[in-house]
Amino acid sequence: MKVRIKVKRQFFLERRAPFKPEFLRLGVNSWPTSSCGPRRTSETEMVITAGLQDCGTKSIIHGDWLVYSNQLLLFPAVVPTSTGSVIVRGVTTVIPVECHYERKQKVTGEPIKPTWVPMTSTIAAFGLLHFSLRIMADHCTSSPSSLMYQQREAVFLEASVKAPQHPSLTLYVDYCVATLNSDPLSRPSYKFIDKHGCHMDSVLPGSSSRFLPREQSNKLCFSVQAFHFNQTRREQMFISCHLRATLKQKNNYHDKACFFHKPTFSWRATEGDSALCECCDSDCLMETKGKNYGDTIQPVTGEKHEADRTVGPIHTVHHSYWTGRLSVSH
């Protein structure tokens, strides 16, 4: 079985990307597989046709539904200059794409027809949850003009969950890891949020990393300082986070967003009781059963409202190579 995705020319124009096939693909790690890029174009649209299990598409069982999920990526324009430099205009746009099959209770029956969710960040049916992780700017108030950062510059991220037909949920970020590629289990890696919401990067001397005050229960913004794994002048990085949504309930050691407050030399909660954050120096009463992801054991719960999301690549440069908000490399 195959999936067919149509992308209108207006989609490119709104994001200031050239209307060319090489700027569009399905799947983060699918390039240069031709079947994951547009195979037919016209003056008004491009079409991607790929196998349902191709291009890095993942499948999970969610209640009565079998869900296939992937990401559609639109890359920004790259403009060469007369001196050999490169200017990147815009940011990579990542659009979640999902396909839902209703599971049948019997082996034989009529063929089932997949329904592809439109390229939006919401799912307005069946009470399904949609988790997202976005790179932001200006304390999570706007989209970034570039994904090029100077070393130690703050990278803002917004985690959110949408559930139109679900009771009000509160979102938490259990952990986040930075890696050189989109695989969160790859090495080298740096886990800067751990222990169910402890922002470990905020402990480092001179770090301004922290969780920002929450404005909506289904969203949580935080920052981390851009850094380098290797001693190279320019490096790309991916950030992967485990997001979890829960019904409003009494505070516990798993539902928290904590950062280290240097003036008082203590852990503080973005909201609620800061006493919950004291365990950031220990193990936060972590369960012995659950899903082992990296070095963290996830607690066993009843109904799971959680997901892993990855953003990137983010490009970092050393101070000596910084040229401003336009990214220029020699």
Side-chain angles (χ1 to χ4, degrees):
M1 293 188 290
K2 292 183 178 293
V3 56
R4 189 169 183 263
I5 303 174
K6 290 184 179 181
V7 183
K8 300 293 184 181
R9 186 188 189 100
Q10 187 64 25
F11 181 75
F12 288 77
L13 296 178
E14 291 174 352
R15 289 153 183 83
R16 299 180 181 179
F19 188 62
K20 297 181 179 179
E22 58 265 31
F23 289 89
L24 184 71
R25 80 162 185 257
L26 178 65
V28 174
N29 297 317
S30 60
W31 200 261
T33 305
S34 59
S35 63
C36 299
R39 301 188 65 180
R40 183 175 67 84
T41 62
S42 68
E43 292 298 321
T44 60
E45 67 181 21
M46 294 187 187
V47 179
I48 296 178
T49 303
L52 193 58
Q53 296 180 333
D54 296 339
C55 307
T57 299
K58 298 180 180 179
S59 63
I60 62 170
I61 295 176
H62 193 292
D64 294 331
W65 296 86
L66 175 61
V67 181
Y68 290 87
S69 61
N70 207 333
Q71 294 177 326
L72 187 71
L73 292 91
L74 178 65
F75 298 97
V78 179
V79 182
T81 66
S82 58
T83 61
S85 302
V86 174
I87 299 176
V88 179
R89 292 179 176 172
V91 298
T92 300
T93 301
V94 181
I95 305 295
V97 180
E98 294 187 352
C99 177
H100 299 262
Y101 286 87
E102 186 175 9
R103 299 174 64 200
K104 301 297 182 180
Q105 301 300 320
K106 54 185 179 181
V107 176
T108 60
E110 294 298 321
I112 52 180
K113 181 180 180 181
T115 301
W116 280 88
V117 178
M119 292 181 298
T120 63
S121 58
T122 61
I123 298 177
F126 311 115
L128 296 178
L129 306 183
H130 181 81
F131 291 87
S132 68
L133 181 67
R134 298 193 301 163
I135 301 172
M136 302 292 287
D138 302 324
H139 295 79
C140 286
T141 59
S142 63
S143 299
S145 59
S146 170
L147 293 184
M148 181 74 71
Y149 293 86
Q150 182 185 19
Q151 192 173 8
R152 299 186 67 81
E153 183 183 6
V155 180
F156 292 95
L157 298 107
E158 179 191 79
S160 65
V161 61
K162 292 185 178 181
Q165 297 185 9
H166 199 286
S168 179
L169 295 171
T170 302
L171 181 79
Y172 294 96
V173 178
D174 280 347
Y175 54 86
C176 290
V177 60
T179 53
L180 290 175
N181 58 58
S182 58
D183 180 3
L185 300 180
S186 63
R187 294 290 184 269
S189 65
Y190 173 48
K191 187 174 288 187
F192 58 90
I193 295 179
D194 201 0
K195 303 178 182 180
H196 295 277
C198 296
H199 203 322
M200 310 308 293
D201 193 73
S202 65
V203 181
L204 300 180
S207 173
S208 60
S209 300
R210 60 174 295 169
F211 285 104
L212 277 63
R214 193 194 295 269
E215 296 184 358
Q216 296 177 241
S217 63
N218 67 321
K219 293 183 179 181
L220 187 60
C221 292
F222 55 98
S223 66
V224 61
Q225 288 189 332
F227 66 94
H228 273 249
F229 283 108
N230 303 316
Q231 296 303 311
T232 57
R233 70 177 190 177
R234 178 173 173 176
E235 182 176 281
Q236 74 172 23
M237 180 193 315
F238 291 80
I239 293 178
S240 302
C241 297
H242 185 81
L243 313 180
R244 182 170 49 84
T246 181
L247 294 172
K248 193 66 177 179
Q249 54 187 343
K250 293 183 179 180
N251 293 337
N252 64 72
Y253 288 98
H254 290 154
D255 299 341
K256 63 186 184 297
C258 304
F259 65 94
F260 193 75
H261 186 246
K262 292 184 177 61
T264 59
F265 206 72
S266 63
W267 287 94
R268 285 192 176 181
T270 300
E271 58 189 346
D273 188 1
S274 291
L276 297 175
C277 301
E278 296 176 0
C279 71
C280 290
D281 289 326
S282 58
D283 62 0
C284 290
L285 301 180
M286 299 180 74
E287 303 286 346
T288 59
K289 297 180 181 180
K291 180 180 68 174
N292 193 336
Y293 186 96
D295 297 324
T296 302
I297 304 296
Q298 297 300 319
V300 173
T301 60
E303 187 178 2
K304 293 181 181 294
H305 300 318
E306 55 190 328
D308 298 314
R309 291 294 181 264
T310 300
V311 294
I314 299 169
H315 300 278
T316 59
V317 296
H318 285 291
H319 292 273
S320 58
Y321 293 96
W322 183 243
T323 58
R325 290 311 304 168
L326 283 180
S327 55
V328 180
S329 60
H330 300 279

